[in-house]
Each structure stands twice: as structure tokens, then as C-alpha cells.
Amino acid sequence: MSEFIGAPATTWNRVEHEDMKVKDWIVPSFGKLTEGFDIVITGIPLSRSSISASAASEYPDFFRKSWQFFSTYSIDDNVDFRHLHVADLGDVKMHGTNILQCHTNIERAMMDIQIYCPNSFYVQIGGDHSITAPIVRAITQHTGKRVGIVQFDTHLDLRATESDGPTNGTPIRQLLDTGVVRGEDVYNIGLHGFYNAPSLIKAADEYGVNRITLKQFRKNGAEQQIAEVMNSLKEKVDIVYVTVDMDVLDITYAPGVPASTPGGMRSDELFDLLYEVGKYDFVYGMDFVCLDPHRDSREQQTVKTGVYAFLTVMTSRFVHLYSEKNTVTM
Ligand SMILES: [Mn+2]
């Protein structure tokens, strides 16, 4: 058990049958932290720390509700990833008004999860981007390892903490200023357009943060781009944390993201990048943040895109890292 994690509003009935949906696959294990799961999912329903008004705190539940629309069979890889053992641990408990208390709860929950669910892959569903700072603090603290970050984002998230506090504009800056992560170990992919002030670019240079613009990525392609990033990280760090700010997507693809912009990444490009990320077993965990389901289209196109992104990582990890389980094909 963890006193910092509780049951979410949404629960579901699993039904094991031939044509499984994702909701039939993921085991509800609310607050019950045990070993033996390949992957554990935790909801982090915090968005009071978002610079733009956001109901990203609702995303964990909308994420769960959308599982019914997806099968556990991937036609692209001709695999059924139902053989991965996945648990949903529930949601980190939040304080109603005290954001710092919320961040402390996230950090403590992540400590508990790593202790009681060892050797799992840790997937966090936000929430806004402020949650990444306490998550990564807990990872460095628990593992004692040098942690690299691969960040998919339209923004650097390097705003100064003195002026902006622990918001979704500062998570990377918080980690760099406190020495939890080194600037040279951060790789931001997806920067584009007119959304980062020159002072932030200067800060990125001073910290040594690696910047890969959307245009550079498009020249390289997903496979080569992620191979380059992971190969250089392998020389420096022990493990990697991947953070996906859904605002990296073009506003057309992500109406449900308060800070999405024109000129952003297409959803198929994000899926291709995440598929490549799924090949690397020194990736320790990841999060998906800043998706506000209340702003989404009626058809919930952004929520579904978020689930698709998550399932893409699951498929790739299943194919590339769990070959002993990967014996069943159609
Ligand atoms: Mn961000």
C-alpha cells in the first residue's frame, strides 16, 4: 500500500476473452503496490500548477475511459501485447489548495512505487508538466543513478523558478537548478516556431540543454533521430526518463491541449518517435502531460491520441524488450 495513492473515480470490469480491449487487459490494483508487473500506470491529477487554465487533472480518468476503444492487438506489428502484465495503481492523492503539498505527495508516491514495484516500467499520466520535477527527483533519489531526460515539447520549460514557481513552465529548470539532472543530459525534441523567448534560449545554452527542432527531426526521421539521442545519452547516463508534453502536437491534432500551437508535430510523427523510444531498455519510465479533456473535441480526438501514444510505446516495448513473451502472433 501507499498512503499517497488512492482509487480513481473511474473503475472498470475486466473480461478475458479472445478479442480483448485495453480495459480488459490492465489490472486495477488501486493503492496495492506489488512486484511482478512489467508496467505500472499511475494517474497524477494535478493542474492547479498550469500557467494556462487547464483541467489536465481530469485526464487520468478520461484516459482510462478511452481504453474501451482500443484492442490489445497491433496490426502494424502483428502482435497482441496482452501478454504484458500491466497494473493501474490509481491516482496520487492531491491537496485541494496546496500545490507544494501535491508535489511532495507525487514525490513520495513515486518513491513507494519504485520500492514496492521494483523492475517495472513506470508510466505516469498527468496532470500538467509540473509533475515531472517531483517524479524525476524521486527517481534519482531512489536509484542513485545519473538520469537523462528526453522531452517532447514545444517549450523548453526553463522559465526561472524564482519568478514562476513550480509551475508547468519550470519543471526542467527546477531539476537543473537543484542538480538533480545535468543540462547536457536533457534532449528536447519538437521545438518550433515563435514560442520560446530569447532569454530562455540563452538559459538553455548556459545549462547545455540539447535542442532538436521539429525541422531538424524531420530531416533525420524518427529512427535516426532517436538512435542519435539515445546513443549519446548512453555514453553519459545510467537511465532515461521520457516526458511527453502533448503541447508538442500541432493545435489541429491536439485541440484538447491548452498550449498546443500551429506549426507543431503531427500525431503520426509523435507515434513514430515513441515507437523508437520503446526499443531502449534503459528508458526507466515516462509521463504524458498537459492534456485537458474538457477542451477536447466532442469525439475526444486528443484523449484518443494520448491513449494511442501510450499504446505505441507498449507495443514497441513488447516487440523489442519482451521477446520471451512475444510468442503469440496471429
Ligand atoms: Mn512542457
Side-chain angles (χ1 to χ4, degrees):
M1 295 296 286
S2 170
E3 59 175 305
F4 302 103
I5 304 174
T10 298
T11 55
W12 58 96
N13 289 324
R14 295 176 69 227
V15 186
E16 301 236 7
H17 51 91
E18 191 186 349
D19 296 332
M20 293 248 289
K21 297 289 188 189
V22 168
K23 73 146 183 84
D24 301 318
W25 163 55
I26 295 176
V27 180
S29 184
F30 306 140
K32 286 184 232 120
L33 278 49
T34 55
E35 53 192 316
F37 287 107
D38 300 313
I39 290 133
V40 291
I41 301 167
T42 309
I44 308 193
L46 174 68
S47 55
R48 288 187 172 85
S49 30
S50 172
I51 295 170
S52 336
S54 170
S57 53
E58 301 297 311
Y59 183 51
D61 266 331
F62 277 76
F63 178 76
R64 293 176 176 111
K65 281 180 194 146
S66 279
W67 290 347
Q68 59 182 309
F69 303 121
F70 296 86
S71 156
T72 60
Y73 169 73
S74 161
I75 201 162
D76 298 302
D77 288 88
N78 190 30
V79 292
D80 194 327
F81 50 82
R82 72 175 69 184
H83 307 288
L84 285 177
H85 201 197
V86 182
D88 184 336
L89 302 178
D91 286 347
V92 175
K93 292 178 186 170
M94 294 298 161
H95 189 277
T97 54
N98 187 336
I99 290 171
L100 294 178
Q101 183 64 54
C102 295
H103 287 151
T104 302
N105 289 2
I106 295 167
E107 197 170 329
R108 291 191 177 160
M110 280 309 298
M111 290 298 288
D112 285 346
I113 291 166
Q114 293 173 91
I115 291 165
Y116 298 111
C117 308
N119 308 312
S120 289
F121 180 70
Y122 307 101
V123 177
Q124 287 65 244
I125 305 298
D128 70 52
H129 217 165
S130 74
I131 68 167
T132 302
I135 293 168
V136 174
R137 280 200 294 270
I139 290 172
T140 52
Q141 198 186 330
H142 176 74
T143 63
K145 291 181 171 170
R146 183 165 165 182
V147 181
I149 291 182
V150 176
Q151 175 189 8
F152 298 98
D153 208 319
T154 285
H155 311 95
L156 288 159
D157 294 352
L158 288 173
R159 289 193 192 207
T161 44
E162 310 85 62
S163 51
D164 287 80
T167 64
N168 65 339
T170 65
I172 303 300
R173 182 73 168 255
Q174 291 177 55
L175 293 168
L176 299 181
D177 282 345
T178 50
V180 174
V181 172
R182 302 182 200 192
E184 61 170 302
D185 299 343
V186 177
Y187 289 74
N188 185 312
I189 303 174
L191 297 162
H192 63 274
F194 317 101
Y195 314 110
N196 290 274
S199 61
L200 297 180
I201 303 294
K202 204 172 137 219
D205 280 340
E206 280 165 14
Y207 286 104
V209 169
N210 302 278
R211 305 191 298 274
I212 297 141
T213 64
L214 196 49
K215 280 194 176 170
Q216 286 170 307
F217 147 64
R218 281 180 174 148
K219 271 192 200 129
N220 293 333
E223 191 173 354
Q224 192 195 323
Q225 187 63 72
I226 294 300
E228 271 177 25
V229 167
M230 292 300 184
N231 288 339
S232 61
L233 275 167
K234 227 166 222 161
E235 308 267 297
K236 300 186 276 191
V237 305
D238 305 305
I239 54 175
V240 169
Y241 188 76
V242 175
T243 180
V244 183
D245 189 330
M246 295 297 282
D247 81 13
V248 76
L249 291 174
D250 190 280
I251 194 164
T252 311
Y253 290 84
V257 179
S260 64
T261 61
M265 196 179 276
R266 301 191 312 266
S267 45
D268 62 292
E269 291 176 317
L270 179 61
F271 302 150
D272 287 350
L273 285 161
L274 291 177
Y275 188 85
E276 295 305 315
V277 163
K279 294 179 177 177
Y280 295 85
D281 64 0
F282 78 142
V283 177
Y284 185 83
M286 69 187 303
D287 60 44
F288 295 90
V289 299
C290 288
L291 200 166
D292 174 353
H294 289 186
R295 288 192 188 219
D296 207 1
S297 61
R298 221 160 48 122
E299 295 75 21
Q300 295 188 11
Q301 65 194 85
T302 322
V303 169
K304 287 174 185 166
T305 299
V307 176
Y308 197 117
F310 161 73
L311 294 178
T312 300
V313 179
M314 295 299 103
T315 306
S316 180
R317 285 185 69 86
F318 181 62
V319 170
H320 299 101
L321 305 181
Y322 295 88
S323 51
E324 78 285 358
K325 296 188 183 197
N326 185 7
T327 51
V328 183
T329 51
M330 305 294 281

